Amino acid sequence: MTGLATTFAHALIALGSVIIALLGSIGRLARFALTALGRLVRPPWYPAQLFEQMLVIGYFSLPVVGLTALFTGSALAQQIYIGGSRFNAAATVPAVTVIGIVRELGPVLGGLMVAGRVSSAMAAEIGTMRVTEQIDALTTLRTDPFRYLVGPRIIAAVLVMPALVLVSNALGVMGGWLLATGRLGFNSAAYLNTTAQFLKTDDVISSMVKAAVFGFFIALMGCYHGYHSSGGAAGVGRATTNAVVSAFILILLSNLIITVIVFGS
Amino acid sequence: MTAKIELSGVKKHFGHKVVLSGVDLAIQPGESLVIIGGSGTGKSVMLKCILGLLTPNAGTIGVDGSSVVGLSARALAAHQARFGMLFQGGALFDSLPVWRNISFALAGPAAERRAAAIDNLSRVGLGADVADLRPSELSGGMQKRVALARAIAARPEILFFDEPTTGLDPIMADVINNLIRTLVTDLKITALTITHDMASVRKIADSVAMLHEGRIVWHGSRDGIDSADNPFVDQFVHGRADGPIKMQLRKL
Protein backbone atom coordinates (compact mmCIF):
# COMPACT_ATOMS: atom_id res chain seq x y z
CA MET A 1 0.00 0.00 0.00
CA THR A 2 2.86 2.33 0.92
CA GLY A 3 4.55 1.50 -2.36
CA LEU A 4 1.37 2.32 -4.29
CA ALA A 5 0.99 5.62 -2.43
CA THR A 6 4.62 6.50 -3.17
CA THR A 7 4.17 5.72 -6.86
CA PHE A 8 1.00 7.81 -6.92
CA ALA A 9 2.78 10.70 -5.18
CA HIS A 10 5.66 10.52 -7.69
CA ALA A 11 3.19 10.54 -10.57
CA LEU A 12 1.46 13.59 -9.09
CA ILE A 13 4.79 15.36 -8.64
CA ALA A 14 5.75 14.58 -12.23
CA LEU A 15 2.39 15.80 -13.50
CA GLY A 16 2.65 18.95 -11.39
CA SER A 17 6.15 19.63 -12.71
CA VAL A 18 4.94 19.30 -16.29
CA ILE A 19 2.00 21.66 -15.63
CA ILE A 20 4.24 24.23 -13.91
CA ALA A 21 6.75 24.05 -16.78
CA LEU A 22 3.92 24.46 -19.32
CA LEU A 23 2.44 27.45 -17.48
CA GLY A 24 5.94 28.95 -17.18
CA SER A 25 6.45 28.60 -20.94
CA ILE A 26 3.08 30.20 -21.68
CA GLY A 27 3.91 33.05 -19.30
CA ARG A 28 7.31 33.68 -20.90
CA LEU A 29 5.77 33.58 -24.38
CA ALA A 30 2.98 35.98 -23.36
CA ARG A 31 5.52 38.36 -21.83
CA PHE A 32 7.63 38.25 -24.99
CA ALA A 33 4.58 38.93 -27.18
CA LEU A 34 3.40 41.81 -24.99
CA THR A 35 6.89 43.33 -24.93
CA ALA A 36 7.11 43.11 -28.72
CA LEU A 37 3.65 44.63 -29.22
CA GLY A 38 4.29 47.32 -26.60
CA ARG A 39 7.50 48.43 -28.29
CA LEU A 40 5.70 48.66 -31.65
CA VAL A 41 3.63 51.55 -30.37
CA ARG A 42 6.53 53.98 -29.92
CA PRO A 43 9.31 54.96 -32.37
CA PRO A 44 11.90 54.34 -33.61
CA TRP A 45 10.38 52.22 -36.37
CA TYR A 46 12.39 50.50 -39.07
CA PRO A 47 10.45 50.67 -42.38
CA ALA A 48 13.32 49.21 -44.40
CA GLN A 49 13.31 46.14 -42.16
CA LEU A 50 9.52 45.92 -42.50
CA PHE A 51 9.59 46.01 -46.31
CA GLU A 52 12.41 43.47 -46.42
CA GLN A 53 10.44 41.10 -44.21
CA MET A 54 7.27 41.60 -46.27
CA LEU A 55 9.27 40.57 -49.31
CA VAL A 56 10.82 37.56 -47.57
CA ILE A 57 7.60 36.33 -45.98
CA GLY A 58 5.14 37.25 -48.73
CA TYR A 59 6.73 37.33 -52.15
CA PHE A 60 9.20 34.47 -51.65
CA SER A 61 6.48 32.24 -50.15
CA LEU A 62 4.20 32.67 -53.17
CA PRO A 63 5.51 29.66 -55.17
CA VAL A 64 5.22 27.13 -52.35
CA VAL A 65 1.86 28.44 -51.13
CA GLY A 66 0.49 28.70 -54.68
CA LEU A 67 1.53 25.19 -55.72
CA THR A 68 0.20 23.71 -52.46
CA ALA A 69 -3.18 25.37 -53.03
CA LEU A 70 -3.33 24.38 -56.71
CA PHE A 71 -2.60 20.70 -56.05
CA THR A 72 -4.82 20.54 -52.96
CA GLY A 73 -7.74 22.18 -54.80
CA SER A 74 -7.45 19.59 -57.60
CA ALA A 75 -7.19 16.66 -55.18
CA LEU A 76 -10.13 17.98 -53.16
CA ALA A 77 -12.31 18.27 -56.26
CA GLN A 78 -11.43 14.71 -57.24
CA GLN A 79 -12.29 13.33 -53.78
CA ILE A 80 -15.58 15.26 -53.58
CA TYR A 81 -16.50 13.93 -57.00
CA ILE A 82 -15.76 10.32 -55.96
CA GLY A 83 -17.60 10.68 -52.65
CA GLY A 84 -20.49 12.68 -54.10
CA SER A 85 -21.02 10.19 -56.93
CA ARG A 86 -21.99 7.53 -54.37
CA PHE A 87 -24.96 9.67 -53.33
CA ASN A 88 -25.74 11.02 -56.76
CA ALA A 89 -24.29 14.37 -55.63
CA ALA A 90 -21.33 14.81 -57.94
CA ALA A 91 -22.69 18.24 -58.91
CA THR A 92 -21.70 19.56 -55.46
CA VAL A 93 -18.02 19.59 -56.50
CA PRO A 94 -17.76 23.37 -57.19
CA ALA A 95 -19.71 24.38 -54.06
CA VAL A 96 -17.91 22.07 -51.63
CA THR A 97 -14.52 22.82 -53.18
CA VAL A 98 -14.87 26.58 -52.82
CA ILE A 99 -16.18 26.31 -49.25
CA GLY A 100 -13.50 23.79 -48.28
CA ILE A 101 -10.72 25.83 -49.81
CA VAL A 102 -11.74 29.30 -48.64
CA ARG A 103 -12.92 28.39 -45.16
CA GLU A 104 -10.28 25.82 -44.21
CA LEU A 105 -7.68 24.47 -46.58
CA GLY A 106 -6.49 27.74 -48.13
CA PRO A 107 -5.62 29.49 -44.87
CA VAL A 108 -4.53 26.38 -42.94
CA LEU A 109 -2.31 24.86 -45.62
CA GLY A 110 -0.98 28.30 -46.55
CA GLY A 111 -0.24 28.97 -42.88
CA LEU A 112 1.48 25.63 -42.41
CA MET A 113 3.62 26.06 -45.52
CA VAL A 114 4.65 29.59 -44.54
CA ALA A 115 5.34 28.40 -40.98
CA GLY A 116 7.62 25.67 -42.32
CA ARG A 117 9.48 28.14 -44.50
CA VAL A 118 9.45 31.34 -42.45
CA SER A 119 9.31 30.36 -38.75
CA SER A 120 12.33 28.12 -39.18
CA ALA A 121 14.26 30.79 -41.09
CA MET A 122 13.46 33.44 -38.46
CA ALA A 123 14.44 31.15 -35.58
CA ALA A 124 17.68 30.18 -37.33
CA GLU A 125 18.61 33.77 -38.20
CA ILE A 126 17.76 35.32 -34.83
CA GLY A 127 19.14 32.28 -32.98
CA THR A 128 22.46 32.61 -34.81
CA MET A 129 22.48 36.31 -33.97
CA ARG A 130 21.91 35.39 -30.31
CA VAL A 131 24.69 32.80 -30.03
CA THR A 132 27.19 34.99 -31.92
CA GLU A 133 26.39 37.97 -29.64
CA GLN A 134 24.97 40.04 -32.51
CA ILE A 135 21.84 40.75 -30.43
CA ASP A 136 24.02 42.02 -27.56
CA ALA A 137 25.91 44.08 -30.14
CA LEU A 138 22.62 45.61 -31.34
CA THR A 139 21.89 46.71 -27.77
CA THR A 140 25.31 48.33 -27.37
CA LEU A 141 24.74 50.10 -30.71
CA ARG A 142 21.67 51.94 -29.34
CA THR A 143 19.21 49.64 -31.08
CA ASP A 144 16.38 47.81 -29.35
CA PRO A 145 16.33 44.21 -30.68
CA PHE A 146 12.55 44.04 -30.18
CA ARG A 147 12.00 47.09 -32.38
CA TYR A 148 14.64 46.16 -34.95
CA LEU A 149 14.22 42.37 -35.23
CA VAL A 150 10.93 41.23 -33.70
CA GLY A 151 8.50 44.07 -34.47
CA PRO A 152 9.05 44.26 -38.25
CA ARG A 153 8.75 40.47 -38.59
CA ILE A 154 5.46 40.32 -36.68
CA ILE A 155 3.90 43.27 -38.55
CA ALA A 156 5.10 41.97 -41.91
CA ALA A 157 3.68 38.49 -41.28
CA VAL A 158 0.32 39.86 -40.10
CA LEU A 159 0.08 42.14 -43.17
CA VAL A 160 1.17 39.74 -45.91
CA MET A 161 -0.46 36.51 -44.76
CA PRO A 162 -4.00 37.64 -45.74
CA ALA A 163 -2.72 38.57 -49.20
CA LEU A 164 -0.93 35.24 -49.52
CA VAL A 165 -4.03 33.34 -48.46
CA LEU A 166 -6.14 35.32 -50.91
CA VAL A 167 -3.86 34.09 -53.70
CA SER A 168 -3.86 30.62 -52.16
CA ASN A 169 -7.68 30.53 -52.16
CA ALA A 170 -7.87 31.68 -55.77
CA LEU A 171 -5.34 29.05 -56.89
CA GLY A 172 -7.08 26.34 -54.83
CA VAL A 173 -10.39 27.07 -56.52
CA MET A 174 -8.60 27.19 -59.87
CA GLY A 175 -7.07 23.78 -59.17
CA GLY A 176 -10.52 22.35 -58.58
CA TRP A 177 -11.87 24.02 -61.71
CA LEU A 178 -8.98 22.74 -63.85
CA LEU A 179 -9.51 19.15 -62.73
CA ALA A 180 -13.29 19.31 -62.86
CA THR A 181 -13.42 20.76 -66.39
CA GLY A 182 -10.43 18.89 -67.76
CA ARG A 183 -11.06 15.44 -66.29
CA LEU A 184 -14.48 15.15 -64.68
CA GLY A 185 -16.48 16.61 -67.55
CA PHE A 186 -17.86 19.74 -65.81
CA ASN A 187 -18.96 22.70 -67.92
CA SER A 188 -16.55 25.59 -67.29
CA ALA A 189 -19.14 28.40 -67.11
CA ALA A 190 -21.51 26.36 -64.92
CA TYR A 191 -18.66 25.44 -62.55
CA LEU A 192 -17.59 29.07 -62.12
CA ASN A 193 -21.20 30.21 -61.76
CA THR A 194 -21.85 27.70 -58.95
CA THR A 195 -18.55 28.66 -57.30
CA ALA A 196 -19.54 32.34 -57.31
CA GLN A 197 -22.99 31.50 -55.90
CA PHE A 198 -21.57 29.61 -52.92
CA LEU A 199 -18.64 31.96 -52.20
CA LYS A 200 -19.83 34.26 -49.40
CA THR A 201 -18.21 37.47 -48.22
CA ASP A 202 -18.13 36.13 -44.66
CA ASP A 203 -16.10 33.13 -45.82
CA VAL A 204 -13.51 35.39 -47.41
CA ILE A 205 -13.36 37.65 -44.34
CA SER A 206 -12.95 34.70 -41.96
CA SER A 207 -10.21 33.39 -44.24
CA MET A 208 -8.37 36.73 -44.03
CA VAL A 209 -8.78 36.91 -40.25
CA LYS A 210 -7.41 33.41 -39.89
CA ALA A 211 -4.47 34.30 -42.12
CA ALA A 212 -3.61 37.38 -40.04
CA VAL A 213 -3.76 35.35 -36.81
CA PHE A 214 -1.61 32.61 -38.34
CA GLY A 215 0.87 35.24 -39.51
CA PHE A 216 1.14 36.57 -35.97
CA PHE A 217 1.87 33.11 -34.56
CA ILE A 218 4.32 32.23 -37.35
CA ALA A 219 6.46 35.32 -36.70
CA LEU A 220 6.04 35.18 -32.92
CA MET A 221 7.22 31.57 -32.70
CA GLY A 222 10.16 32.14 -35.01
CA CYS A 223 11.30 35.24 -33.11
CA TYR A 224 10.63 33.83 -29.62
CA HIS A 225 12.52 30.59 -30.08
CA GLY A 226 15.36 32.29 -31.96
CA TYR A 227 15.67 35.05 -29.35
CA HIS A 228 15.96 32.54 -26.51
CA SER A 229 18.24 30.06 -28.21
CA SER A 230 21.47 29.10 -26.49
CA GLY A 231 24.15 26.47 -26.73
CA GLY A 232 25.71 27.09 -30.14
CA ALA A 233 24.71 25.31 -33.34
CA ALA A 234 22.78 22.58 -31.51
CA GLY A 235 20.78 25.25 -29.67
CA VAL A 236 19.92 27.03 -32.92
CA GLY A 237 18.81 23.67 -34.37
CA ARG A 238 16.54 23.05 -31.37
CA ALA A 239 15.13 26.59 -31.65
CA THR A 240 14.34 26.04 -35.33
CA THR A 241 12.54 22.76 -34.66
CA ASN A 242 10.62 24.20 -31.70
CA ALA A 243 9.60 27.25 -33.74
CA VAL A 244 8.10 25.15 -36.54
CA VAL A 245 6.39 22.63 -34.27
CA SER A 246 4.89 25.28 -31.97
CA ALA A 247 3.79 27.41 -34.95
CA PHE A 248 2.04 24.36 -36.48
CA ILE A 249 0.24 23.59 -33.22
CA LEU A 250 -0.84 27.20 -32.68
CA ILE A 251 -2.07 27.50 -36.28
CA LEU A 252 -4.20 24.35 -35.98
CA LEU A 253 -5.50 25.31 -32.52
CA SER A 254 -6.35 28.89 -33.46
CA ASN A 255 -7.99 27.64 -36.68
CA LEU A 256 -10.24 25.38 -34.63
CA ILE A 257 -11.14 28.21 -32.24
CA ILE A 258 -11.91 30.69 -35.03
CA THR A 259 -13.91 28.09 -36.97
CA VAL A 260 -16.02 27.25 -33.91
CA ILE A 261 -16.58 30.95 -33.14
CA VAL A 262 -17.44 32.00 -36.71
CA PHE A 263 -19.23 28.93 -38.07
CA GLY A 264 -20.20 27.05 -34.89
CA SER A 265 -23.57 28.76 -34.50
CA MET B 1 38.29 61.51 -7.58
CA THR B 2 35.04 59.71 -8.45
CA ALA B 3 35.70 56.42 -10.20
CA LYS B 4 34.41 56.18 -13.77
CA ILE B 5 33.12 52.68 -13.06
CA GLU B 6 32.68 51.22 -9.59
CA LEU B 7 31.46 47.75 -8.63
CA SER B 8 30.71 46.88 -5.04
CA GLY B 9 29.74 43.42 -3.83
CA VAL B 10 28.38 42.40 -7.23
CA LYS B 11 26.95 38.88 -7.25
CA LYS B 12 25.44 36.97 -10.14
CA HIS B 13 24.22 33.41 -10.37
CA PHE B 14 22.42 31.40 -13.04
CA GLY B 15 20.23 28.88 -11.24
CA HIS B 16 22.51 27.13 -8.77
CA LYS B 17 25.68 28.14 -10.63
CA VAL B 18 27.37 31.07 -8.90
CA VAL B 19 29.38 33.12 -11.41
CA LEU B 20 30.17 36.34 -9.51
CA SER B 21 30.38 36.05 -5.73
CA GLY B 22 31.07 39.62 -4.63
CA VAL B 23 33.13 41.67 -7.08
CA ASP B 24 34.62 44.95 -5.81
CA LEU B 25 36.42 47.00 -8.43
CA ALA B 26 37.00 50.64 -9.38
CA ILE B 27 38.20 52.02 -12.72
CA GLN B 28 39.43 55.62 -12.91
CA PRO B 29 38.62 57.99 -15.81
CA GLY B 30 41.01 57.46 -18.72
CA GLU B 31 42.42 54.29 -17.19
CA SER B 32 42.93 51.11 -19.20
CA LEU B 33 42.18 48.23 -16.86
CA VAL B 34 42.69 44.64 -17.94
CA ILE B 35 40.89 41.79 -16.17
CA ILE B 36 42.69 38.47 -16.32
CA GLY B 37 41.43 35.10 -15.20
CA GLY B 38 40.77 31.59 -16.41
CA SER B 39 37.88 30.52 -18.61
CA GLY B 40 34.52 30.49 -16.83
CA THR B 41 35.56 32.79 -13.99
CA GLY B 42 32.85 35.33 -14.82
CA LYS B 43 34.77 37.97 -16.79
CA SER B 44 32.23 38.30 -19.62
CA VAL B 45 29.32 38.17 -17.17
CA MET B 46 30.87 41.06 -15.25
CA LEU B 47 31.13 43.14 -18.45
CA LYS B 48 27.52 42.38 -19.33
CA CYS B 49 26.40 43.39 -15.82
CA ILE B 50 28.13 46.77 -16.21
CA LEU B 51 26.55 47.22 -19.65
CA GLY B 52 23.12 46.39 -18.28
CA LEU B 53 22.74 43.34 -20.52
CA LEU B 54 22.51 41.24 -17.35
CA THR B 55 21.12 42.29 -13.96
CA PRO B 56 23.23 41.37 -10.92
CA ASN B 57 21.51 39.48 -8.08
CA ALA B 58 23.21 41.66 -5.46
CA GLY B 59 25.63 44.57 -5.16
CA THR B 60 25.90 47.97 -6.82
CA ILE B 61 27.37 49.13 -10.11
CA GLY B 62 27.96 52.83 -10.67
CA VAL B 63 29.17 54.83 -13.66
CA ASP B 64 30.25 58.38 -12.82
CA GLY B 65 28.59 57.88 -9.45
CA SER B 66 25.16 56.94 -10.87
CA SER B 67 23.75 53.48 -10.24
CA VAL B 68 23.08 51.41 -13.34
CA VAL B 69 21.08 48.65 -11.63
CA GLY B 70 17.30 48.80 -11.97
CA LEU B 71 17.19 51.52 -14.64
CA SER B 72 14.07 52.07 -16.76
CA ALA B 73 14.28 50.94 -20.40
CA ARG B 74 14.93 54.52 -21.59
CA ALA B 75 17.57 55.25 -18.93
CA LEU B 76 19.23 51.92 -19.66
CA ALA B 77 19.42 52.75 -23.37
CA ALA B 78 21.02 56.12 -22.50
CA HIS B 79 23.48 54.30 -20.22
CA GLN B 80 24.40 51.80 -22.93
CA ALA B 81 24.93 54.60 -25.44
CA ARG B 82 28.00 55.66 -23.42
CA PHE B 83 29.75 52.38 -24.20
CA GLY B 84 31.44 50.84 -27.18
CA MET B 85 32.17 47.14 -27.14
CA LEU B 86 34.41 44.83 -29.10
CA PHE B 87 32.85 41.38 -28.80
CA GLN B 88 34.95 38.23 -28.66
CA GLY B 89 33.79 36.95 -32.05
CA GLY B 90 33.37 40.42 -33.53
CA ALA B 91 29.55 40.08 -33.61
CA LEU B 92 29.40 41.83 -36.98
CA PHE B 93 26.00 41.76 -38.69
CA ASP B 94 26.31 39.20 -41.49
CA SER B 95 23.56 40.73 -43.61
CA LEU B 96 25.11 44.20 -43.77
CA PRO B 97 28.22 45.42 -45.63
CA VAL B 98 31.20 46.61 -43.62
CA TRP B 99 30.38 50.32 -43.87
CA ARG B 100 26.83 49.81 -42.61
CA ASN B 101 28.13 47.71 -39.73
CA ILE B 102 30.49 50.50 -38.68
CA SER B 103 27.95 53.29 -39.09
CA PHE B 104 25.09 51.31 -37.52
CA ALA B 105 24.73 53.58 -34.48
CA LEU B 106 25.29 56.81 -36.43
CA ALA B 107 22.52 59.12 -37.59
CA GLY B 108 22.35 61.22 -40.76
CA PRO B 109 22.30 60.77 -44.53
CA ALA B 110 23.80 57.58 -45.96
CA ALA B 111 26.66 59.44 -47.70
CA GLU B 112 27.77 61.04 -44.42
CA ARG B 113 27.54 57.75 -42.55
CA ARG B 114 29.56 56.01 -45.25
CA ALA B 115 32.25 58.71 -45.07
CA ALA B 116 32.36 58.34 -41.28
CA ALA B 117 32.67 54.58 -41.65
CA ILE B 118 35.59 54.93 -44.06
CA ASP B 119 37.24 57.40 -41.66
CA ASN B 120 36.92 54.86 -38.84
CA LEU B 121 38.23 52.11 -41.11
CA SER B 122 41.38 54.17 -41.66
CA ARG B 123 41.81 54.47 -37.87
CA VAL B 124 42.10 50.68 -37.66
CA GLY B 125 44.39 50.42 -40.67
CA LEU B 126 41.88 49.36 -43.31
CA GLY B 127 41.16 51.05 -46.63
CA ALA B 128 37.92 52.16 -48.26
CA ASP B 129 38.13 49.08 -50.52
CA VAL B 130 36.69 46.87 -47.75
CA ALA B 131 33.73 49.18 -47.08
CA ASP B 132 31.37 47.32 -49.42
CA LEU B 133 32.47 43.79 -48.51
CA ARG B 134 30.39 41.52 -46.31
CA PRO B 135 31.87 40.37 -42.97
CA SER B 136 32.06 36.79 -44.29
CA GLU B 137 34.48 37.98 -46.98
CA LEU B 138 37.00 39.21 -44.40
CA SER B 139 39.74 37.33 -42.54
CA GLY B 140 39.48 36.93 -38.75
CA GLY B 141 41.93 39.77 -38.14
CA MET B 142 40.10 42.11 -40.51
CA GLN B 143 36.78 41.25 -38.85
CA LYS B 144 38.29 42.17 -35.47
CA ARG B 145 39.51 45.49 -36.90
CA VAL B 146 36.10 46.24 -38.43
CA ALA B 147 34.48 45.40 -35.10
CA LEU B 148 36.94 47.77 -33.42
CA ALA B 149 36.05 50.49 -35.93
CA ARG B 150 32.36 49.92 -35.14
CA ALA B 151 33.02 50.08 -31.40
CA ILE B 152 34.69 53.51 -31.66
CA ALA B 153 32.46 54.96 -34.40
CA ALA B 154 30.04 56.68 -32.04
CA ARG B 155 32.95 58.04 -29.94
CA PRO B 156 31.95 56.32 -26.69
CA GLU B 157 33.22 57.43 -23.27
CA ILE B 158 34.01 53.85 -22.27
CA LEU B 159 35.26 50.95 -24.35
CA PHE B 160 35.00 47.27 -23.46
CA PHE B 161 37.16 44.68 -25.16
CA ASP B 162 36.14 41.02 -24.72
CA GLU B 163 39.08 38.75 -25.57
CA PRO B 164 40.28 41.05 -28.37
CA THR B 165 43.08 38.75 -29.59
CA THR B 166 41.43 35.33 -29.25
CA GLY B 167 41.82 33.25 -32.39
CA LEU B 168 44.40 35.54 -34.00
CA ASP B 169 48.00 34.74 -34.89
CA PRO B 170 50.64 36.48 -32.71
CA ILE B 171 51.43 39.14 -35.30
CA MET B 172 47.80 40.07 -35.91
CA ALA B 173 47.22 39.95 -32.15
CA ASP B 174 50.00 42.50 -31.70
CA VAL B 175 48.49 44.70 -34.42
CA ILE B 176 45.16 44.64 -32.55
CA ASN B 177 46.88 45.33 -29.22
CA ASN B 178 48.71 48.33 -30.72
CA LEU B 179 45.47 49.64 -32.20
CA ILE B 180 43.66 49.35 -28.88
CA ARG B 181 46.48 51.10 -27.00
CA THR B 182 46.63 53.90 -29.59
CA LEU B 183 42.87 54.40 -29.67
CA VAL B 184 42.57 54.44 -25.89
CA THR B 185 45.38 56.97 -25.59
CA ASP B 186 44.35 59.18 -28.54
CA LEU B 187 40.63 59.24 -27.78
CA LYS B 188 41.19 59.49 -23.98
CA ILE B 189 38.74 56.68 -23.39
CA THR B 190 38.27 54.64 -20.24
CA ALA B 191 38.88 51.03 -21.27
CA LEU B 192 38.11 47.68 -19.71
CA THR B 193 39.59 44.62 -21.39
CA ILE B 194 39.21 40.98 -20.48
CA THR B 195 41.79 38.55 -21.78
CA HIS B 196 43.88 35.44 -21.13
CA ASP B 197 46.66 36.78 -23.32
CA MET B 198 49.58 38.10 -21.26
CA ALA B 199 51.05 39.86 -24.33
CA SER B 200 47.81 41.87 -24.51
CA VAL B 201 48.01 42.63 -20.81
CA ARG B 202 51.54 44.03 -21.11
CA LYS B 203 50.63 46.12 -24.15
CA ILE B 204 47.14 47.43 -23.28
CA ALA B 205 46.98 47.74 -19.50
CA ASP B 206 47.60 50.64 -17.16
CA SER B 207 46.42 48.40 -14.35
CA VAL B 208 45.46 44.76 -14.00
CA ALA B 209 42.92 42.88 -11.88
CA MET B 210 42.59 39.14 -11.54
CA LEU B 211 39.19 37.48 -11.26
CA HIS B 212 39.04 34.01 -9.75
CA GLU B 213 35.94 32.10 -8.68
CA GLY B 214 33.82 35.22 -9.00
CA ARG B 215 36.00 37.56 -6.91
CA ILE B 216 38.84 39.98 -7.58
CA VAL B 217 41.83 38.29 -5.96
CA TRP B 218 44.45 40.87 -7.00
CA HIS B 219 44.45 44.43 -8.38
CA GLY B 220 47.58 46.42 -9.15
CA SER B 221 49.65 48.16 -11.77
CA ARG B 222 50.74 46.50 -15.01
CA ASP B 223 54.36 46.53 -13.92
CA GLY B 224 53.38 44.89 -10.65
CA ILE B 225 52.09 41.63 -12.10
CA ASP B 226 55.53 40.03 -12.39
CA SER B 227 56.40 40.85 -8.78
CA ALA B 228 52.89 40.36 -7.33
CA ASP B 229 53.05 38.39 -4.12
CA ASN B 230 49.93 36.48 -5.08
CA PRO B 231 49.94 32.77 -5.90
CA PHE B 232 46.94 33.09 -8.27
CA VAL B 233 48.58 35.85 -10.33
CA ASP B 234 51.92 34.05 -10.25
CA GLN B 235 50.39 30.81 -11.57
CA PHE B 236 48.37 32.61 -14.26
CA VAL B 237 51.20 34.85 -15.48
CA HIS B 238 53.59 31.92 -15.77
CA GLY B 239 50.94 29.57 -17.17
CA ARG B 240 51.64 26.73 -14.75
CA ALA B 241 49.32 23.76 -14.23
CA ASP B 242 50.37 23.46 -10.58
CA GLY B 243 49.16 26.05 -8.13
CA PRO B 244 46.08 27.25 -6.28
CA ILE B 245 43.99 27.42 -9.49
CA LYS B 246 42.77 23.89 -10.09
CA MET B 247 41.44 22.78 -13.45
CA GLN B 248 38.56 20.34 -13.07
CA LEU B 249 39.92 17.33 -14.92
CA ARG B 250 38.88 13.70 -14.68
CA LYS B 251 41.64 11.27 -13.80
CA LEU B 252 42.54 8.94 -16.67
Side-chain angles (χ1 to χ4, degrees), chain A residues 162-244:
Chain A
L164 261 181
V165 166
L166 209 59
V167 175
S168 168
N169 290 343
L171 286 171
V173 171
M174 193 175 100
W177 169 79
L178 280 173
L179 189 114
T181 54
R183 195 176 138 79
L184 305 178
F186 277 78
N187 175 274
S188 175
Y191 188 101
L192 292 175
N193 193 33
T194 310
T195 298
Q197 273 181 357
F198 279 85
L199 179 64
K200 304 295 179 201
T201 309
D202 287 353
D203 295 341
V204 178
I205 291 171
S206 78
S207 188
M208 302 294 99
V209 170
K210 281 183 178 182
V213 172
F214 298 166
F216 176 75
F217 286 131
I218 287 166
L220 182 67
M221 290 298 107
C223 293
Y224 175 77
H225 288 287
Y227 197 85
H228 291 103
S229 69
S230 60
V236 175
R238 274 193 303 276
T240 306
T241 305
N242 291 339
V244 175

Side-chain angles (χ1 to χ4, degrees), chain A residues 133-134 136-137 139 142-143, chain B residues 48 80-81 92-94 104 154:
Chain A
E133 296 185 304
Q134 290 179 51
D136 288 340
T139 307
R142 305 163 192 194
T143 304
Chain B
K48 289 181 178 179
Q80 288 166 341
L92 296 172
F93 305 127
D94 309 316
F104 196 88

Side-chain angles (χ1 to χ4, degrees), chain B residues 2 41 49 81 99 103 131 143 189 226 232 238:
Chain B
T2 306
T41 52
C49 284
W99 78 268
S103 63
Q143 287 186 16
I189 287 171
D226 292 313
F232 295 101
H238 295 98

Side-chain angles (χ1 to χ4, degrees), chain A residues 39 42 49 52 125 128-129 132-143 148, chain B residues 48 51 53 80-81 83 85 87-89 91-94 96 104-105 150 154 162:
Chain A
R39 304 273 172 92
R42 285 196 302 270
Q49 288 291 103
E52 185 185 328
E125 185 182 2
T128 304
M129 290 183 76
T132 56
E133 296 185 304
Q134 290 179 51
I135 292 181
D136 288 340
L138 271 179
T139 307
T140 63
L141 293 167
R142 305 163 192 194
T143 304
Y148 186 77
Chain B
K48 289 181 178 179
L51 275 170
L53 296 174
Q80 288 166 341
F83 293 82
M85 178 145 177
F87 287 86
Q88 188 172 345
L92 296 172
F93 305 127
D94 309 316
L96 302 178
F104 196 88
R150 185 178 70 179
D162 186 358

